Amino acid sequence: MKIKLLFIVILILSISTSPVLANSIVNINEGAAFSYLSILRGAIGMGILIGIAWLFSSNKKAINWKTVGIGILAQLVLALGILKLKWVQFIFELISKLFVQVINFTEAGTSFLFKSFGAGVIESPLINFAITILPTIIFFSALTSVLFYFGIIQKLVYVLALLLTKLMQISGAESLSVAGNIFLGQTESPLMIKAYLEKMNRSEMLLVMSGGMATLAGGVLAVYIKILGAGNAAQELLYAKHLLAASVMAAPGVIVISKILLPQTEPINTEVKISKDKIGKNILDAISKGTNEGLRLAVNVGAMLLVFIAFIAMANYIFFKIGHYSGLNEIITSTTNGQYSEFSLQFILGYIFAPLMWIIGVCAEDIDLVGRVLGEKIIMTEFIGYVSLGELKESAAFAQQKSILIATYVLCGFANFASIGIQIGGIGALAPNQQLTLTQLGMRALLAGTLASLLSATIVGIILG
């Protein structure tokens, strides 16, 4: 264990001091650089996040602090590589270009399906969320099924799982689930370890749930690339890289938080073995099943957004009336320099989470905006959070570009109340005897997923300067 820690520390030092690597280091923003203040502020933020997890730990004496240290160092190394090393950036940009290209493939199908023919003139499809965004989910679901059918995803997951098992000292089944969540959804990834689910202890089951809360599946990741890129190819590539980085960095981060909240006390089975089940009996069957799953998910997302946005409007109407009769609207308008014009749900969420956003490195001018999107993610869904972030970005509401990038990491993952129900239903169907455990660990998984995303965001904030 000490050798592993020493290796990671040497790697970090080599990145920052080696003359060869120094030439390959680039800044993510003009003028971005390390500073003692950002390092101190980030260290305090990381300490507070770890402290929150410690406060909610079920067995503080059983926490393996070596695992915690290795996990944080692993996140730091990943962040340094992704944000500062050209050759690592090249790899992530290459993957990002593949995502953007697949989005373009989706647009070809969308254009054909929704274009209209009038007087011999072909008109472009309507430019709205339902037509330009939701079809991406359907195609990515079908593509994922094909990749799963050919065993490509399983091979990638297997390699990552071996690394996590050796590095973080967790069971093979846990590492498979966490690694799988980088590519798959929170109910699809457990399919690879369904043979282990019935026998898992509480600590292992919490990590399976938390891993699903902290990472993003490929299909929705593509949607958020589209939302934040707003049709600009360069912006889509930039946010694709950061969204990928957020999902990858969340893997060691969520292990850290989960093992603090519910430490492992039972013997660890390090066997890494993926279920042989395939999605579909042949490639056409795989495409068909993937398309059907994607269609259900797209319809569910569309309906969910419709309902939640309507509820937000209803809540804001009530808050507006309260603000109108109490005089709060005028006070809020004058004290926030017009950033908020009335008493609203966004105002409440923004200022509830604002102190936490300052702690993780967001500039003072933007803490309420990032706090707002985090609150929307938790009580509603990350879809609402990313849609709001995209709108705020397009309206130039943020004082610093850094705040938008940190918010991208803050919103990474499915950590919201709706996901608790999704996991109870999805994982519970695979392991019926774990149903009670799933209900008992739901809130802890939500906390773990949220803290893991905030931990990644804090580390990125340090590096961005």
Side-chain angles (χ1 to χ4, degrees):
M1 187 69 72
K2 291 181 180 178
I3 294 174
K4 292 176 183 176
L5 281 169
L6 181 62
F7 172 77
I8 295 173
V9 171
I10 291 172
L11 180 58
I12 294 173
L13 290 174
S14 70
I15 288 173
S16 59
T17 60
S18 169
V20 176
L21 291 176
N23 292 328
S24 67
I25 293 179
V26 295
N27 284 324
I28 198 74
N29 290 324
E30 289 296 326
F34 290 106
S35 70
Y36 290 115
L37 179 60
S38 68
I39 292 172
L40 177 62
R41 187 172 165 187
I44 293 172
M46 290 166 65
I48 290 174
L49 294 174
I50 296 296
I52 293 171
W54 180 83
L55 285 173
F56 287 94
S57 175
S58 64
N59 189 347
K60 295 178 177 63
K61 293 182 179 180
I63 296 172
N64 187 335
W65 290 106
K66 287 184 178 180
T67 297
V68 173
I70 290 173
I72 292 174
L73 284 172
Q75 277 194 300
L76 183 58
V77 169
L78 282 169
L80 281 168
I82 294 164
L83 299 179
K84 294 292 181 178
L85 293 178
K86 283 184 177 179
W87 66 271
V88 179
Q89 285 191 337
F90 173 77
I91 294 172
F92 270 77
E93 285 175 1
L94 182 63
I95 299 171
S96 300
K97 286 178 181 177
L98 291 175
F99 268 90
V100 173
Q101 187 59 57
V102 171
I103 291 172
N104 293 335
F105 295 151
T106 307
E107 289 177 350
T110 304
S111 177
F112 172 79
L113 191 62
F114 292 101
K115 68 185 177 183
S116 60
F117 299 86
V121 178
I122 302 177
E123 298 176 1
S124 299
L126 294 172
I127 306 301
N128 60 39
F129 187 90
I131 291 177
T132 60
I133 302 297
L134 295 183
T136 304
I137 297 175
I138 301 172
F139 181 65
F140 260 88
S141 178
L143 180 61
T144 301
S145 292
V146 172
L147 295 175
F148 202 91
Y149 174 78
F150 284 114
I152 296 172
I153 288 179
Q154 292 94 316
K155 287 181 174 62
L156 292 172
V157 169
Y158 181 79
V159 172
L160 290 173
L162 280 176
L163 290 173
L164 288 174
T165 300
K166 297 293 184 183
L167 185 66
M168 304 292 292
Q169 293 298 300
I170 60 175
S171 71
E174 289 174 290
S175 63
L176 280 172
S177 179
V178 173
N181 275 312
I182 297 173
F183 307 96
L184 304 169
Q186 57 186 329
T187 55
E188 289 85 12
S189 182
L191 286 171
M192 292 189 295
I193 58 164
K194 65 180 182 180
Y196 299 94
L197 288 172
E198 295 277 7
K199 302 173 185 177
M200 278 187 163
N201 58 50
R202 288 172 62 85
S203 178
E204 292 170 337
M205 186 56 67
L206 176 62
L207 182 51
V208 170
M209 298 176 71
S210 303
M213 293 276 191
T215 52
L216 291 171
V220 293
L221 187 144
V223 169
Y224 304 143
I225 292 171
K226 193 74 177 173
I227 291 172
L228 296 178
N232 182 296
Q235 288 287 296
E236 286 182 353
L237 188 59
L238 171 67
Y239 287 104
K241 181 174 66 176
H242 282 290
L243 286 163
L244 281 168
S247 200
V248 172
M249 284 179 63
V254 78
I255 294 171
V256 166
I257 300 298
S258 180
K259 292 307 177 184
I260 293 176
L261 289 172
L262 197 51
Q264 178 88 355
T265 55
E266 294 86 349
I268 298 172
N269 178 9
T270 57
E271 179 189 34
V272 179
K273 187 176 180 181
I274 301 178
S275 171
K276 299 295 184 181
D277 291 351
K278 291 184 178 180
I279 298 180
K281 296 179 180 179
N282 54 53
I283 186 171
L284 293 179
D285 191 31
I287 293 173
S288 175
K289 288 185 177 181
T291 301
N292 288 332
E293 287 295 324
L295 179 60
R296 281 195 289 269
L297 178 58
V299 171
N300 181 61
V301 167
M304 178 180 60
L305 288 172
L306 186 154
V307 170
F308 274 118
I309 290 174
F311 270 115
I312 292 172
M314 184 175 70
N316 281 341
Y317 177 79
I318 296 170
F319 287 131
F320 171 79
K321 290 298 183 182
I322 293 172
H324 175 71
Y325 291 112
S326 65
L328 272 175
N329 289 346
E330 290 76 12
I331 296 173
I332 290 170
T333 302
S334 60
T335 55
T336 62
N337 297 319
Q339 193 170 51
Y340 294 97
S341 59
E342 60 193 42
F343 188 44
S344 64
L345 182 63
Q346 287 83 353
F347 172 82
I348 295 170
L349 292 173
Y351 282 91
I352 285 176
F353 290 103
L356 187 58
M357 296 304 99
W358 187 88
I359 288 169
I360 70 171
V362 179
C363 70
E365 296 89 343
D366 295 331
I367 54 176
D368 62 304
L369 296 178
V370 182
R372 163 190 160 179
V373 295
L374 172 61
E376 290 176 340
K377 169 196 173 182
I378 293 173
I379 68 170
M380 288 167 277
T381 69
E382 78 289 343
F383 270 98
I384 299 292
Y386 275 116
V387 169
S388 290
L389 179 60
E391 291 173 349
L392 291 169
K393 171 180 168 290
E394 288 304 300
S395 63
F398 289 98
Q400 291 187 7
Q401 169 74 7
K402 175 184 173 182
S403 301
I404 305 174
L405 296 179
I406 291 178
T408 302
Y409 289 80
V410 166
L411 294 177
C412 176
F414 300 111
N416 56 69
F417 289 109
S419 290
I420 297 175
I422 291 171
Q423 290 193 352
I424 291 171
I427 302 175
L430 299 174
N433 74 328
Q434 295 280 16
Q435 195 86 26
L436 178 60
T437 302
L438 292 167
T439 59
Q440 292 171 340
L441 298 179
M443 290 302 296
R444 283 182 180 270
L446 173 59
L447 177 62
T450 301
L451 290 178
S453 298
L454 293 175
L455 193 59
S456 295
T458 306
I459 292 172
V460 169
I462 294 173
I463 296 173
L464 292 178

